[in-house]
Amino acid sequence: MPGKTRTAQSVSFDVPADQQPYLHNRWHPDIPSIGAIEPGETVKIECLDWTGGQIGNNDSANDMRDVELTRCHYLTGPFDIKGAEPGDLLVVNITDIQPFNHMPWGFTGVFDRANGGGFLEDHYPQAAKAIWDFDGIYCSSRHIPGVRFPGLIHPGILGCAPSLEVLAEWNRREGGLVEAGVTTHPGKTLAHLPQDKNVHATTAEGELKARIGREGARTVPGRPEHGGNVDICNISRGSKTYLPVHVPGAKFSVGDLHFSQGDGEISFCGAIEMAGVIRIKFDLIKNGVKSRAVPHPVFVPGEVQPHYGPSRYLTFEGFSVDEDGKQHYMDATVAYRQACLRAIEYLKQFGYSGEQIYLLLSCAPVRGCIAGIVDKPNVCTTLGIPMDIFDFDISMDAEPIKRNLGTCAYTT
């Protein structure tokens, strides 16, 4: 008879996240490990939501407006995987992810332009929020009524610690981007560099904690050497991710759990963020970086995902021409923004506010892709919305009827 799956680490909802000695919010090889896991072992790992509990289940977006981003993300770990050495590949088999039984809810948010902003911040500059209630695999929201869909639950972040050399390379290239951006993008934050404010590094104290603050990489963004904050919804139950190992023991960490997310997570806090439990089986491929020629993460999606027929998507196109009519050269960001804005304008005809749809496109199982990069100067992107998540017909064959669809949470 199989034994009970071990909980490698639990978390507390009664102790502030920055006082829990098994969490961290920076990447650095010297962050003390919190435990060890055997290759071949399946364990359960508990995670807080990425903000560490800063967002409440209420009808105000004041907490979203005021969220302290230097405290994010709170990851559980790092764990030593016994026998892992630099050059190996750590195989992360996700066998299950669930919200906590006592917290069957999550949130989607738009950050205030003055505090992080988002993909469409020029159009939606103020904070907004939607709370989602979970019913098994399904979710619905009092702030965006008329929709219900199954979640493709996944971690936004999983990764191994960088070596000192890899960390120095991250800081070099991101620092160079920020320096160049003073001229190329004045007033814009192009990268989040090391910052010692609100550093949390498991049990590190004193000079070690101070050094981690000076050197440690922020958990935004994802990076090619280790993955990290990739926010890929298909790294879900049944998936298998191969992560390069850079330090002895690998020092694996995970967090930022999502109940659901649309391709792009366009509002920045755009998934349905949640606290929960992830179950992972770990394996090793010795010398896998060289033998497989993959010094970067690779993954195989799982079999579990929402199923909507191809003909049941209403798909909007975007090109490298912005809303002011300015032509851009092969700019996929501009093109995807245009596809999103066109979807929002279409769905507003049915009674939603722009903010409600912005939130919905961030977290519902929409499909985004680069459809064409062959026809210069325009990239063509597409955004497909599954029509069956709505309680009413949004197809082009239906005459739009403006309904009373309530409101999302705004700031006061």
Side-chain angles (χ1 to χ4, degrees):
M1 184 175 180
K4 182 179 180 181
T5 301
R6 176 171 72 95
T7 297
Q9 185 58 59
S10 57
V11 296
S12 173
F13 292 90
D14 300 318
V15 178
D18 60 2
Q19 297 177 26
Q20 298 187 41
Y22 31 77
L23 305 176
H24 65 97
N25 61 7
R26 300 292 190 273
W27 291 113
H28 194 286
D30 294 335
I31 294 175
S33 299
I34 65 169
I37 300 170
E38 295 277 358
E41 183 180 10
T42 298
V43 298
K44 292 186 289 187
I45 301 172
E46 295 185 1
C47 301
L48 297 178
D49 79 77
W50 74 287
T51 72
Q54 295 185 59
I55 307 301
N57 186 347
N58 53 49
D59 299 322
S60 169
N62 289 0
D63 49 9
M64 189 65 62
R65 177 195 63 198
D66 301 332
V67 67
E68 177 51 71
L69 294 177
T70 61
R71 292 172 55 192
C72 309
H73 300 82
Y74 282 104
L75 308 179
T76 307
F79 296 94
D80 288 326
I81 310 301
K82 293 183 180 180
E85 294 292 337
D88 295 344
L89 287 176
L90 180 64
V91 187
V92 181
N93 305 272
I94 298 175
T95 62
D96 196 20
I97 315 173
Q98 296 292 337
F100 287 104
N101 289 334
H102 68 283
M103 291 187 65
W105 63 275
F107 61 89
T108 304
V110 174
F111 284 148
D112 191 277
R113 188 176 190 172
N115 188 28
F119 191 54
L120 304 180
E121 62 185 42
D122 290 341
H123 299 265
Y124 301 99
Q126 295 182 329
K129 183 177 77 176
I131 298 296
W132 297 85
D133 296 307
F134 306 148
D135 180 12
I137 67 170
Y138 295 97
C139 65
S140 58
S141 174
R142 63 184 182 269
H143 294 130
I144 310 176
V147 293
R148 183 173 184 263
F149 52 86
L152 185 58
I153 308 179
H154 62 280
I157 300 178
L158 45 80
C160 299
S163 64
L164 286 173
E165 293 77 15
V166 168
L167 179 61
E169 171 62 12
W170 292 354
N171 289 334
R172 181 200 65 79
R173 67 189 183 216
E174 291 169 24
L177 181 68
V178 170
E179 184 177 356
V182 173
T183 300
T184 61
H185 296 77
K188 292 283 189 178
T189 301
L190 300 191
H192 297 279
L193 301 181
Q195 184 179 35
D196 58 7
K197 181 181 179 182
N198 291 321
V199 172
H200 185 45
T202 67
T203 58
E205 295 292 347
E207 174 53 29
L208 174 58
K209 184 176 182 179
R211 183 162 59 83
I212 291 169
R214 292 192 303 269
E215 302 172 352
R218 302 290 297 278
T219 52
V220 175
R223 298 174 174 94
E225 294 84 355
H226 88 145
N229 188 27
V230 295
D231 291 320
I232 298 173
C233 62
N234 297 106
I235 301 180
S236 183
R237 291 172 293 175
S239 69
K240 186 180 293 186
T241 302
Y242 302 83
L243 298 174
V245 174
H246 298 284
V247 299
K251 286 195 166 183
F252 171 84
S253 301
V254 64
D256 187 24
L257 302 186
H258 299 165
F259 188 86
S260 177
Q261 180 200 299
D263 286 343
E265 197 184 2
I266 60 173
S267 76
F268 185 3
C269 188
I272 299 179
E273 312 285 349
M274 72 174 205
V277 184
I278 184 169
R279 185 188 298 252
I280 300 175
K281 179 180 180 291
F282 292 93
D283 290 303
L284 283 174
I285 299 177
K286 300 299 292 182
N287 197 36
V289 169
K290 182 177 181 180
S291 68
R292 305 304 195 269
V294 284
H296 47 74
V298 177
F299 78 94
V300 178
E303 298 291 337
V304 179
Q305 58 182 310
H307 292 284
Y308 298 102
S311 65
R312 298 304 300 159
Y313 281 84
L314 185 60
T315 300
F316 296 83
E317 300 176 5
F319 300 88
S320 305
V321 179
D322 68 25
E323 55 270 33
D324 295 323
K326 180 180 178 180
Q327 177 73 61
H328 298 258
Y329 180 73
M330 300 303 287
D331 195 324
T333 300
V334 169
Y336 197 58
R337 185 177 289 118
Q338 293 310 300
C340 293
L341 290 171
R342 289 165 184 170
I344 289 173
E345 288 306 309
Y346 180 82
L347 290 174
K348 283 167 67 174
Q349 300 176 99
F350 297 89
Y352 291 114
S353 69
E355 288 83 358
Q356 284 176 303
I357 307 163
Y358 186 13
L359 291 163
L360 180 63
L361 295 183
S362 301
C363 65
V366 302
R367 290 180 176 175
C369 74
I370 296 177
I373 55 172
V374 64
D375 295 314
K376 299 176 182 179
N378 283 339
V379 174
C380 176
T381 65
T382 60
L383 176 71
I385 302 172
M387 293 184 283
D388 294 332
I389 71 174
F390 294 89
D391 292 344
F392 45 86
D393 189 355
I394 68 159
S395 73
M396 292 289 290
D397 297 325
E399 183 76 22
I401 299 174
K402 205 144 200 173
R403 296 162 172 81
N404 181 2
L405 295 172
T407 178
C408 60
Y410 293 101
T411 56
T412 57

